[in-house]
Amino acid sequence: MKMHRATLAVLALTFAIFPFSQVHAQAYPVRPIKLLVPLAAGSTADILSRTIGTELAMAMGQPVVIDNKPGAGGTIAMAELARATPDGYTIAFASQGTLVFNLSLYAKPGYDSLKDFSPILHVGGVSNVMVVPPDSPAKSPFDIIAAAKAKPGTMTFSSGGSGTSHHLSGVLFGQLTGTDLVHVPYKGAPQGILAVMSGEVTMGFFNTPTVINQIKDNKLKGLAVTSLTRSPLLPTMPTLDTSGVKGYEVNTWFGFIAPANTPPDVVSRLHTEIGKILAIPAIRDKLTSQGFELAPFTPPSGFTKIIREDLGKWPGIIKASGAKVD
């Protein structure tokens, strides 16, 4: 009995000296990790999340379960993450759309990007491509601008949901060209892309990785890319900036985040392992060949800086456009 009491006393002292969060971090992970993806299967976010998730599962010794939560511009997934227990067992893929655009588009997005999350790693970015149906008479952005000005309010563009980079690309295009475009949101990027292919809408602005094959197969016609420099995957395609829409730039960034107050050791472990995965030549080649521009390996604070800077840039653009979701 004395030995039993002594053992309990030692255990009690151990937990008093090493708080639960530290003991937890040392043991982490001991069960599957859920990776929330705010867009539909087949989207850019899904492609990258599954590629990294597969490797992360092997590195962590636990399954990484991809949980696609599309809808409401990604606010459903982000709000769920904000409410999740900060223990490293629920993380999310996040983007410029979910962490910046949504805070101006939604009256009540359900989260605060700076207060509710712990950035893990900024992964990189990707340009969008302005696409039209293969039989569209438009040969350049100027053709779209002329048609939109000739018949205001009749030109439509699809997106993978309100608040996505697809949506804001169209908003910025209309703002800089003085055209009145009609936004048609779909449940996810694949549906929005199909709407352009079929001619259901006039055009769309979608991530390069998700439309590159359709462009090469002549199922879509690409007019210009949204980045300031040409895409390595579409070297002959001009940028919107050089096509006459001066100052136009949408180069969507993305990365991984955890709930606020996730133990620093857990964030550090995830940051390190994801960074190692992105350093694997085969993984880098796979992602860059699909149009992803991988960022230099930086600490989580670097990701926080990017979020803060964009929160100072985009709200004014969105407010001036009058774009709102609810």
Side-chain angles (χ1 to χ4, degrees):
M1 179 64 72
K2 290 182 178 180
M3 183 177 294
H4 179 66
R5 290 176 178 173
T7 300
L8 290 176
V10 170
L11 289 174
L13 180 61
T14 298
F15 280 95
I17 296 174
F18 299 100
F20 173 75
S21 62
Q22 293 183 16
V23 173
H24 170 80
Q26 291 170 359
Y28 175 83
V30 296
R31 55 188 172 86
I33 298 168
K34 179 165 69 173
L35 174 53
L36 291 168
V37 180
L39 293 172
S43 63
T44 299
D46 184 68
I47 292 170
L48 192 141
S49 295
R50 290 183 185 278
T51 298
I52 294 179
T54 298
E55 297 292 328
L56 185 62
M58 292 188 286
M60 303 293 270
Q62 290 291 338
V64 174
V65 182
I66 305 296
D67 188 2
N68 293 93
K69 287 288 179 70
T75 59
I76 295 173
M78 293 298 100
E80 180 176 329
L81 183 70
R83 298 190 301 268
T85 302
D87 55 9
Y89 290 101
T90 302
I91 61 176
F93 176 93
S95 68
Q96 184 183 43
T98 56
L99 295 180
V100 177
F101 299 161
N102 285 351
L103 271 65
S104 296
L105 288 168
Y106 291 83
K108 296 180 180 180
Y111 56 91
D112 183 304
S113 296
L114 295 176
K115 295 180 180 179
D116 292 334
F117 306 124
S118 295
I120 296 172
L121 180 67
H122 170 223
V123 174
V126 64
S127 63
N128 287 344
V129 185
M130 182 181 187
V131 291
V132 294
D135 58 354
S136 170
K139 296 180 179 180
S140 74
F142 278 116
D143 293 329
I144 295 294
I145 295 170
K149 289 186 174 181
K151 295 182 178 180
T154 62
M155 303 293 281
T156 56
F157 73 97
S158 62
S159 78
S162 297
T164 60
S165 70
H166 326 135
H167 175 198
L168 269 295
S169 290
V171 166
L172 185 60
F173 180 82
Q175 184 175 319
L176 293 182
T177 60
T179 53
D180 181 14
L181 307 177
V182 179
H183 175 224
V184 184
Y186 286 80
K187 187 177 181 180
Q191 293 90 336
I193 293 168
L194 285 173
V196 180
M197 291 170 60
S198 67
E200 189 173 323
V201 294
T202 307
M203 60 182 174
F205 299 80
F206 290 95
N207 297 159
T208 305
T210 56
V211 295
I212 184 66
N213 289 331
Q214 291 91 330
I215 292 173
K216 290 181 177 179
D217 293 339
N218 296 316
K219 294 179 180 178
L220 284 173
K221 185 194 300 184
L223 301 184
V225 294
T226 64
S227 52
L228 286 177
T229 58
R230 295 194 180 201
S231 168
L233 293 182
L234 299 166
T236 63
M237 188 172 294
T239 68
L240 277 160
D241 178 68
T242 58
S243 294
V245 189
K246 293 299 181 181
Y248 189 102
E249 180 188 15
V250 177
N251 200 43
T252 305
W253 48 255
F254 41 76
F256 292 91
I257 60 174
N261 300 315
T262 297
D265 286 351
V266 170
V267 172
S268 178
R269 174 79 190 280
L270 289 165
H271 175 267
T272 298
E273 296 299 347
I274 295 174
K276 288 179 180 178
I277 291 167
L278 292 171
I280 298 172
I283 296 297
R284 294 186 68 84
D285 290 345
K286 178 179 179 179
L287 294 176
T288 55
S289 68
Q290 296 181 68
F292 296 107
E293 298 177 15
L294 301 179
F297 184 69
T298 56
S301 59
F303 195 8
T304 300
K305 183 174 182 291
I306 290 172
I307 297 169
R308 286 185 182 279
E309 288 178 348
D310 262 19
L311 283 172
K313 170 187 175 181
W314 277 96
I317 294 173
I318 295 171
K319 183 177 180 180
S321 74
K324 281 289 181 183
V325 175
D326 55 4

